[in-house]
Amino acid sequence: TCEQGVMRRTPEVIDCWFDSGAMPFAQWHYPFENQDMFEKQFPADFISEGVDQTRGWFYSLLVISAFLTDGPSFRHCLVQELVLDREGRKMSKSKGNTVNPWDVIEKWGVDPLRWYIVTNSPPWAPTKFDEDGVAEVSRKFFGTLHNTHAFFVLYAQVDGYSPDGSEVVPVESMSALDRWILSRLHTTTRLVRLHFGAFEVTRAARAIQHFVIEDLSNWYVRRSRRRFWKGEPGPDKTAAYQTLHEVLVRLAGLLAPFIPFTSEEVWHNLQAWRDGAPESVHLSDYPAGDASLIDEELEARMEFIREAVTLGRAARNRAGIRVRQPLPVMKVVTGAPWQEAALQELEILILEEMNVKRVEGVASTSAFMGLQAQPFFSALGPKYGGEVNRIAEAIRSLGQDDLRLLQEETPIRLSVDGNEIEIEPGDVLLEEAEPDGLVVEREGEVTVAVDTRLDESLIREGLAREFTTRIQNFRRQIGYEVTDRIRLAYQATPGLEAAIEAHADYIAGEALVVDLHNGVYKEFDRQDDWRIEEESVTICVVKA
């Protein structure tokens, strides 16, 4: 409301962009007063607006400041480009390609929308908006973050873990896996701060996203899962809780400027303020990387192991062998001393991740790769003319010993139709060939070979592992709690029956089975029939 009377327009009206450009000075009534306050805050660290302000606010700020101070009123100008439709066209009602942001927020939430916008492209580049991208962000990044957070909370409640009520395990006493994820956390933190300092918000967000999905979830939590749900109380289990809690708390701080509501929820669920920190993540200092916790050599060794595992999985896939089927051996080429050290220190991770019985480090591919030779006709033809085809057949049938000599640049002698012929290394084309039973994969400087030959013992163990996984899934379907013990009766075909008997202790320990009974129960909670490979089984379970 306004007072009654006649309203008169002020005659001293200049273009509105002049008013906007004078803002840094006018807000302090400078230079007539507040000189000290003005000098502390001038020029601004950065300004930010849409690209359409180039000839408006950006220009007027610069011109007025240059006139009054011989310099700009801002150190950095962050230009926000337009948001386009998924085809890269400008949104307009006439084209029918506009998007109501409130509809997107109502469906997916404001934090996933924020994260999608900031990770999709830099603010100064046009953004092709696609709601499917918001859905993917919600599923991949937020789903991963939520599952990791929920995993910690669930098992911390089961074990009664409290960060301020448990004995602190020194970092130097932790496992290599714990020390690695802490190193990655602080390396990522320093990288994020570096990007923020250069106003590279998209790179900062993508660095966090890589850490959450690839480092934290796909490696650390998966490789540590057993320590939480199966391990007995002790220093290693405490270190696992301590490490994951520390990572999640610092992660909430890193994410706070991007996704304020999700980060606050994580902060409160972890009761992060109980160590004396502010009650809100948004009142805490932004995380800083601790150089003393960064171990670049450990990070390099772990990256080598992860690359080897990735190639090992690719070899399994090419051979068509499921992960739950144990394999006898995986060979890893360790051409450098630090790679040998990585294999010795972190071998257990490959054994568990690849489900192999043994890991071997070899100096080169010659330790497991065969050689095959093809005649190089351009070199052989001029020397042997019409005899070249018979010589070519002899070359193709050379044994491995002769091929190794040629590989070492040593000539060999062949007998062709009773004639002795010298074959030089330049007369043949040598290629490495996979021997029977080995599947070889290589990427860059990393090469692995997986032995896919199975004996009866390995086949039985594979059946037992698959049976165990079916039980674990069945528990979830029924609705049992993760700590519930069960009794299980089964009637199986001979092959699966033998596998269950041979690995009864493993099945019981993994699926929390207190009674594994070959037979039937008269009363049970649920019954089902399963087909596993060429075997079949009928099971019934009851909560113990």
Side-chain angles (χ1 to χ4, degrees):
T1 61
C2 59
E3 298 180 6
Q4 297 295 322
V6 177
M7 297 296 179
R8 293 182 174 83
R9 184 175 180 177
T10 302
E12 298 86 1
V13 175
I14 307 178
D15 180 83
C16 66
W17 293 120
F18 180 86
D19 291 343
S20 301
M23 174 274 296
F25 311 96
Q27 67 177 340
W28 301 112
H29 199 214
Y30 179 86
F32 305 105
E33 55 182 324
N34 298 320
Q35 285 89 351
D36 292 342
M37 184 66 72
F38 172 81
E39 291 172 0
K40 288 179 181 178
Q41 303 192 40
F42 184 89
D45 287 331
F46 73 95
I47 60 170
S48 181
E49 253 291 0
V51 68
D52 54 309
Q53 296 294 334
T54 301
R55 292 188 295 171
W57 191 42
F58 300 161
Y59 172 75
S60 60
L61 278 171
L62 184 60
V63 168
I64 294 173
S65 179
F67 179 75
L68 293 176
T69 68
D70 289 330
S73 57
F74 51 87
R75 294 187 176 93
H76 301 87
C77 178
L78 274 67
V79 179
Q80 300 175 37
E81 257 287 0
L82 298 177
V83 178
L84 310 174
D85 71 6
R86 70 175 67 189
E87 305 298 331
R89 301 172 301 175
K90 186 175 180 180
M91 293 187 187
S92 86
K93 292 181 180 179
S94 62
K95 293 179 181 177
N97 62 346
T98 59
V99 176
N100 186 339
W102 293 110
D103 292 341
V104 178
I105 291 170
E106 184 68 25
K107 186 175 182 180
W108 301 108
V110 68
D111 276 358
L113 177 59
R114 287 173 181 267
W115 193 254
Y116 167 74
I117 292 293
V118 77
T119 56
N120 187 37
S121 62
W124 47 85
T127 297
K128 295 181 181 179
F129 182 83
D130 186 350
E131 189 174 338
D132 291 343
V134 185
E136 183 179 8
V137 158
S138 179
R139 176 178 56 85
K140 290 183 67 175
F141 177 72
F142 282 84
T144 301
L145 181 62
H146 169 76
N147 290 339
T148 305
H149 172 216
F151 173 83
F152 173 84
V153 171
L154 171 65
Y155 287 101
Q157 291 174 344
V158 168
D159 285 333
Y161 173 80
S162 174
D164 59 355
S166 301
E167 183 179 352
V168 176
V169 179
V171 173
E172 57 271 18
S173 300
M174 292 180 175
S175 69
L177 195 61
D178 292 334
R179 290 184 284 109
W180 169 78
I181 194 63
L182 289 174
S183 180
R184 288 292 306 132
L185 170 68
H186 288 276
T187 296
T188 302
T189 299
R190 298 182 79 177
L191 182 61
V192 168
R193 292 181 70 99
L194 181 66
H195 288 323
F196 265 148
F199 299 97
E200 293 277 4
V201 292
T202 298
R203 290 184 177 181
R206 288 176 179 175
I208 300 174
Q209 183 165 273
H210 178 87
F211 173 80
V212 170
I213 295 176
E214 300 301 332
D215 296 338
L216 181 59
S217 176
N218 285 351
W219 192 249
Y220 177 77
V221 172
R222 194 173 74 246
R223 291 275 35 92
S224 299
R225 192 175 294 271
R226 181 184 299 271
R227 301 164 68 194
F228 290 92
W229 66 262
K230 192 173 185 294
E232 296 300 321
D236 182 63
K237 191 170 190 177
T238 299
Y241 276 120
Q242 178 182 319
T243 300
L244 187 52
H245 181 269
E246 171 73 7
V247 170
L248 288 171
V249 168
R250 287 186 172 271
L251 193 56
L254 286 173
L255 289 168
F258 299 102
I259 47 175
F261 301 107
T262 303
S263 59
E264 185 75 348
E265 179 185 12
V266 172
W267 182 271
H268 275 268
N269 285 347
L270 297 175
Q271 299 182 335
W273 68 86
R274 293 179 65 172
D275 63 356
E279 187 169 352
S280 170
V281 67
H282 302 295
L283 298 177
S284 65
D285 292 336
Y286 199 71
D290 186 346
S292 68
L293 295 177
I294 295 176
D295 187 337
E296 293 180 356
E297 292 184 0
L298 176 58
E299 290 190 32
R301 292 195 296 270
M302 189 68 78
E303 185 61 24
F304 172 70
I305 295 301
R306 293 174 71 185
E307 289 176 1
V309 166
T310 298
L311 293 177
R313 291 196 200 116
R316 269 186 175 273
N317 291 338
R318 185 151 64 88
I321 299 177
R322 51 192 169 82
V323 175
R324 282 186 284 275
Q325 172 59 61
L327 296 176
V329 64
M330 174 171 160
K331 302 176 187 289
V332 182
V333 175
T334 55
W338 70 269
Q339 292 174 331
E340 295 178 14
L343 203 61
Q344 292 175 5
E345 180 183 9
L346 305 171
E347 175 189 32
I348 184 63
L349 298 177
I350 296 181
L351 291 172
E352 293 176 350
E353 185 70 16
M354 283 300 303
N355 192 14
V356 294
K357 294 301 181 181
R358 193 172 77 258
V359 178
E360 290 182 6
V362 296
S364 69
T365 55
S366 61
F368 55 81
M369 292 290 279
L371 288 174
Q372 61 184 17
Q374 295 297 330
F376 187 41
F377 288 101
S378 296
L380 292 169
K383 290 196 291 186
Y384 300 108
E387 303 295 318
V388 71
N389 287 331
R390 284 191 293 274
I391 294 173
E393 285 300 316
I395 288 174
R396 292 191 183 99
S397 61
L398 285 172
Q400 291 296 307
D401 290 341
D402 285 333
L403 294 178
R404 294 294 178 199
L405 289 173
L406 290 171
Q407 188 182 44
E408 295 168 1
E409 301 294 321
T410 302
I412 63 171
R413 298 193 67 80
L414 286 180
S415 176
V416 179
D417 296 336
N419 297 320
E420 287 287 321
I421 296 174
E422 184 175 80
I423 301 298
E424 299 178 353
D427 295 332
V428 299
L429 299 174
L430 294 176
E431 297 177 347
E432 287 186 323
E434 286 182 348
D436 292 339
L438 281 185
V439 181
V440 180
E441 291 287 342
R442 65 182 73 198
E443 181 70 33
E445 298 182 357
V446 183
T447 303
V448 305
V450 176
D451 191 335
T452 60
R453 291 166 291 191
L454 302 176
D455 58 20
E456 188 62 31
S457 174
L458 290 172
I459 292 172
R460 285 184 177 180
E461 185 177 349
L463 287 172
R465 284 175 174 265
E466 184 65 35
F467 180 64
T468 303
T469 300
R470 297 285 185 93
I471 298 172
Q472 293 167 330
N473 293 336
F474 199 50
R475 289 173 54 102
R476 286 190 286 270
Q477 292 174 12
I478 297 173
Y480 290 153
E481 298 293 334
V482 295
T483 56
D484 287 342
R485 266 58 179 172
I486 63 171
R487 298 169 57 229
L488 186 146
Y490 66 93
Q491 290 181 313
T493 49
L496 182 55
E497 180 181 10
I500 295 172
E501 290 176 354
H503 298 278
D505 291 342
Y506 169 82
I507 296 168
E510 294 294 311
L512 301 185
V513 180
V514 296
D515 176 39
L516 187 60
H517 174 61
N518 190 347
V520 296
Y521 291 140
K522 291 183 179 180
E523 297 181 357
F524 48 81
D525 294 338
R526 190 78 64 87
Q527 181 177 347
D528 205 357
D529 297 317
W530 297 337
R531 184 80 178 173
I532 302 176
E533 299 294 332
E534 301 302 320
E535 307 289 335
S536 59
V537 62
T538 297
I539 64 104
C540 53
V541 299
V542 60
K543 187 162 71 171

